[in-house]
Amino acid sequence: MQTSTYKALKINQNAQTSIQDVLFVEAALQININDEPYTVVMRTPDNDKALIRGLLFAEDIYKSDKTLIFNIVKEENEIPTIINVTISKEVLGKGYLNKRTLLSVSSCGICEKNELKDNNVEGEKRTKTTTFSSTVLHEMLLKMNSFQHTFKNSGGSHAAAIFNKNHEFLTVKEDIGRHNTVDKVIGDLLIKDYLKHAKYLLVSGRVSYEIVSKAFIAKIPIIVAVSACSSLAVDFAKEFGICLIGFTREQKMTIYSNPSFVEKTKSYVLKQKSRY
């Protein structure tokens, strides 16, 4: 269930109207690992397996390509509230030792960590470039927008999408949380064993440090955001060798790192106007 209907009073200047408004659902999900509580995330109750799979991958808890065992421990109103994941202790990554505090809010990813040092990201800097045109970016954003059905109904959701090197659509997910959408699309491709084809990560909101780190861990070299990028996101994108682009709306965009990825000879030609 992604949306729910609530009574509300809509005021427009001097007019008042009673309405039934569609709101995006936010609900708590407790994630257990081997029957021990690991964290509680605030999310939209949909694609929970993909969310958990992507989160465990980003947290360096489970990097194996073998299928995980998910069990719904508890649910309310047909919405899972506790899901247990069974992982052999031999393959548990060192990230499992960096226990989260219990609550992770939907608007923040880094804030649930016990200590800042828990967010160290390891890996090799991206050195290969993938040249693309600015027109292609906007066409991909239009494609992502066409799948944002819940946003069109509620106006309250974020989205993330992944495309391959040929700019072909691979997956898109919506959620109340920006970080959750990224975990969901990465987790979805992990489940499908298709993450190796990911080249572009598109996000409907702003980009923080943690979204850059998730892309780096997933070996996605290009991040395209509709909104702003934080200073730390830019710093780490430069360090990781990621091309980070923000404020990608209609015929505009701002390239914050690795501008050599973008072909300068291409013009901005759109077949239709983007809502961004």
Side-chain angles (χ1 to χ4, degrees), residues 2 17-18 47 50 55 65 80 94 152 155 182 193 199 224 226 272:
Q2 291 188 315
T17 308
S18 296
N47 300 293
L55 178 64
D65 57 1
K94 63 181 181 181
K152 292 177 176 64
V182 176
D193 192 24
K199 292 296 179 183
V224 183
V226 172
Q272 65 182 101

Side-chain angles (χ1 to χ4, degrees), residues 1 9 33 48 58 88 104 113 133 144 183 185 189 221 273:
M1 182 178 66
L9 182 64
I33 298 177
D48 286 332
S88 171
S104 170
K113 298 290 190 175
S133 71
M144 179 177 74
D183 284 331
V185 290
L189 295 188
K273 188 175 182 181

Side-chain angles (χ1 to χ4, degrees), residues 184-200:
K184 283 184 176 181
V185 290
I186 291 175
D188 184 40
L189 295 188
L190 283 167
I191 292 171
K192 297 174 180 176
D193 192 24
Y194 222 71
L195 185 60
K196 56 182 175 289
H197 299 293
K199 292 296 179 183
Y200 300 86

Side-chain angles (χ1 to χ4, degrees), residues 132-138 141 222-227 229 243-256 258-259 261-264 266-268:
F132 56 89
S133 71
S134 53
T135 299
V136 164
L137 297 186
H138 293 285
L141 281 170
I222 302 161
I223 303 174
V224 183
V226 172
S227 194
C229 303
C243 180
L244 178 59
I245 303 173
F247 296 113
T248 315
R249 306 173 185 178
E250 298 189 6
Q251 297 185 10
K252 299 178 182 179
M253 65 181 186
T254 303
I255 306 169
Y256 291 101
N258 295 294
F261 279 58
V262 183
E263 296 178 10
K264 297 183 175 65
K266 299 292 184 179
S267 60
Y268 295 96

Side-chain angles (χ1 to χ4, degrees), residues 155-185:
S157 64
H158 288 286
I162 293 178
F163 292 75
N164 67 14
K165 65 179 181 180
N166 297 320
H167 319 124
E168 295 168 336
F169 168 81
L170 298 182
T171 184
V172 64
K173 300 298 178 189
E174 292 182 279
D175 198 276
I176 192 72
R178 295 177 295 117
H179 306 89
N180 293 347
T181 63
V182 176
D183 284 331
K184 283 184 176 181
V185 290

